[in-house]
Amino acid sequence: MIRLFDLDWYLENIRILGVIAILIGIGTWAMDFTGAVYVCPFCRAQRTVILLLGIFMTLPGASHFILKYVTSILGVYGLIVASNQHFRGWVRIQQGEFTWGEQWYLNSWMLSFFAICIITAQVWLLFLKKK
């Protein structure tokens, strides 16, 4: 049984989680290239950070300090972009202009929150990874 609340399980399976992140990144870029989603610089930055951190998670030297340094830079950048996009959604809510849209599952406010969660988890896993 998957131990969802056991950090060791996630650290033991960091490469599998990295592959999942890579698939998320590639899948979202494919949706962008095919025109399934609108062009969004915020989304492009977030999906690129998720993809790159996913690649880092699959590397054998994931605990190296240089990789952790680059992870810090990419993580902070991705979180700032995602937070800005998410905050813009809150501004629309406060102004009474927020709508889910026809494709509610592609709402940028919701997706930016998921990006914040994914990027934070990736950074944590990369930082907690032991040799």
Side-chain angles (χ1 to χ4, degrees):
M1 180 176 171
I2 296 177
R3 305 175 322 241
L4 291 177
F5 299 106
D6 184 8
L7 177 62
D8 290 332
W9 183 87
Y10 293 97
L11 293 172
E12 291 166 5
N13 295 291
I14 191 170
R15 288 193 174 144
I16 294 169
L17 297 169
V19 169
I20 292 169
I22 291 168
L23 292 174
I24 289 170
I26 291 172
T28 55
W29 269 109
M31 290 174 64
D32 190 328
F33 288 139
T34 60
V37 295
Y38 61 92
V39 176
C40 171
F42 290 101
C43 303
R44 286 180 170 183
Q46 294 162 49
R47 71 177 63 118
T48 301
V49 169
I50 290 170
L51 176 65
L52 291 173
L53 292 177
I55 291 169
F56 291 175
M57 291 168 73
T58 63
L59 296 176
S63 61
H64 195 276
F65 78 95
I66 292 175
L67 194 65
K68 288 182 180 184
Y69 175 71
V70 176
T71 295
S72 300
I73 295 168
L74 287 173
V76 167
Y77 172 72
L79 288 171
I80 288 171
V81 170
S83 297
N84 280 326
Q85 184 177 21
H86 194 70
F87 184 74
R88 289 173 63 178
W90 281 111
V91 169
R92 286 193 303 269
I93 289 170
Q94 292 294 317
Q95 294 173 343
E97 301 170 355
F98 181 81
T99 61
W100 285 105
E102 290 181 28
Q103 296 177 316
W104 62 269
Y105 49 88
L106 295 178
N107 182 279
S108 63
W109 179 69
M110 182 178 62
L111 293 175
S112 62
F113 173 74
F114 291 138
I116 290 169
C117 295
I118 292 169
I119 293 169
T120 301
Q122 288 178 298
V123 170
W124 269 66
L125 288 174
L126 283 163
F127 266 80
L128 294 173
K129 178 70 178 162
K130 304 288 185 222
K131 291 183 180 179

